[in-house]
Amino acid sequence: MPKMLRKYITFLLFLSLFFNTGNGDTSVFLTVSSLAWKEENGKVIQRQVEMNWIHNNTYEEAWVCLYDHDPFDSKEDCLVKINVTNDPTGYHKTEFGFPKINFKPDNLTDECLHYWIALISSGDIIVSSCYRAHPHWMINLRDQIGNYSLDELMLPGTHNSGSYQNYDPRKDYIMNRYIVTQDETIWNQLVYGNRYLDIRVAYQNDTFFITHSVFVSDIPLAKVIEDVKLFLNSTQEIVILDFHRFENGFNGLNSDRIHLKLIQYLENELSSIMIPSSYGYKVSLNTLWENNRRLYVGYTSYSAEFGFSSEYLFKKVSHQWADADTIHDLEEYFNRTVCKRIRKNLQSSMAQMTPKMAGIFFDRYKGLRVMAQAVNLKVTEWFRERWWHCANIVATDFFHGNNIIEVAIEANKKRWLQLSIY
């Protein structure tokens, strides 16, 4: 095929993909609400399916429908039907709950899970999608992203990844509302498509635990490592494990000894697949796949007077952290920072609001679930429409409530097509 013809075809593909992922596009997608509560009758409400749509407002009549089957098999038996003719961008939270899924290592799939959504006009399906996991999205894109380094990709991730817990109304007290940031295990976070894990560690009773600030959870770090190993052994994906903060047990005279113990534990468990720091952060994904070095471990700086160093640890990922408790302030911060690289390493946009201590004390925010619900769809919009071309890692709370995983996958395709044209 002549070079100019190839470039022209690539350009057409780019335009097609561009107008299917943002900037005036027509699309529909599903999210899952982060809100959870117990009603007076004792019924627990959680994980409500949310319908989202964007269209160009040129339809004489348009409907968005929720299905429990593929609408191309049958447009009948719509569970929820919303007239969106005069509502080109919208959202609707349904009463249908999205179930917890027990994924198995030998049966990981990106097929549709339980619910579909479609935009219908004049009896025709204009566009549809479904909720799905993305356990293999990186290796599936190898032809497009294999020559990239991790800092050249847009990667979805989770904030305070180890602070996960199923909603339990018996634990719905004020402090717990500000500690739990996810409701899926590390294993499920990875299976759904997240590739960045933000880990905070404490050391108590001769055991490493996950912690959120100074509040130590009952989740041992060993469980996190077990899930990461299982996922890496079950797929060909590449994962970033970022040890970003150390709390209880790391602050005393024995802190160097505790760090050494942790590093030796990580090497014992993971060194066969960890990326050597000698590779540098600009190493291509193809090189990582060829050498089966698929785990990037970031580690915050520490004192090592005993002279110990590890050949497998990188600098911790730089966090773009707004410390904002309003959507406006978070947006303004990202406007200034997302496309600006300050340090030469990986960079994560921490796309969640941060409560102030006084607000926590008086429960002014009603918890992190409520804060995530308020911002998650705005985060989807911002990175889909403004920053898809420059963002590196995007980490969120209660990730089901946004569409960042699919936005990131499409953004990486668009970047490749954009470079292919030029």
Side-chain angles (χ1 to χ4, degrees), residues 64-161:
V64 168
C65 293
L66 179 72
Y67 295 91
D68 59 4
H69 60 271
D70 190 335
F72 283 101
D73 292 337
S74 171
K75 295 193 293 290
E76 307 302 321
D77 301 321
C78 179
L79 300 175
V80 179
K81 188 174 184 179
I82 309 291
N83 189 323
V84 300
T85 306
N86 299 312
D87 190 5
T89 302
Y91 153 90
H92 176 77
K93 183 169 64 178
T94 76
E95 296 181 355
F96 293 90
F98 189 79
K100 285 276 188 169
I101 298 177
N102 185 23
F103 294 103
K104 299 294 184 181
D106 59 352
N107 191 30
L108 297 180
T109 178
D110 58 3
E111 294 181 357
C112 294
L113 301 171
H114 298 283
Y115 292 101
W116 289 252
I117 183 173
L119 175 67
I120 299 174
S121 180
S122 301
D124 295 324
I125 297 175
I126 306 302
V127 65
S128 71
S129 70
C130 62
Y131 206 87
R132 67 177 80 228
H134 294 279
H136 307 292
W137 72 262
M138 294 184 79
I139 194 67
N140 287 344
L141 288 184
R142 182 169 181 171
D143 288 346
Q144 288 97 334
I145 66 176
N147 290 324
Y148 289 6
S149 55
L150 289 170
D151 72 312
E152 294 175 310
L153 299 176
M154 181 175 174
L155 296 167
T158 51
H159 164 246
N160 264 309
S161 311

Side-chain angles (χ1 to χ4, degrees), residues 17 133-134 137-138 141 145 154 156 192-193 403-414:
L17 185 58
H134 294 279
W137 72 262
M138 294 184 79
L141 288 184
I145 66 176
M154 181 175 174
Y192 274 111
N403 199 37
I404 288 297
I405 292 171
E406 294 196 352
V407 167
I409 293 170
E410 297 306 313
N412 291 317
K413 295 177 184 177
K414 286 162 63 178

Side-chain angles (χ1 to χ4, degrees), residues 164 185-188 190 222-232:
Y164 62 84
T185 64
I186 295 296
W187 163 255
N188 271 20
L190 293 169
K223 173 57 179 169
V224 171
I225 301 304
E226 176 187 332
D227 281 0
V228 171
K229 286 175 61 177
L230 181 62
F231 181 75
L232 289 170

Side-chain angles (χ1 to χ4, degrees), residues 36-46 48 95-97 167 169:
W37 70 93
K38 183 178 180 180
E39 295 187 329
E40 292 182 359
N41 61 8
K43 182 179 180 181
V44 174
I45 306 297
Q46 60 179 323
Q48 292 171 290
E95 296 181 355
F96 293 90
Y167 176 73

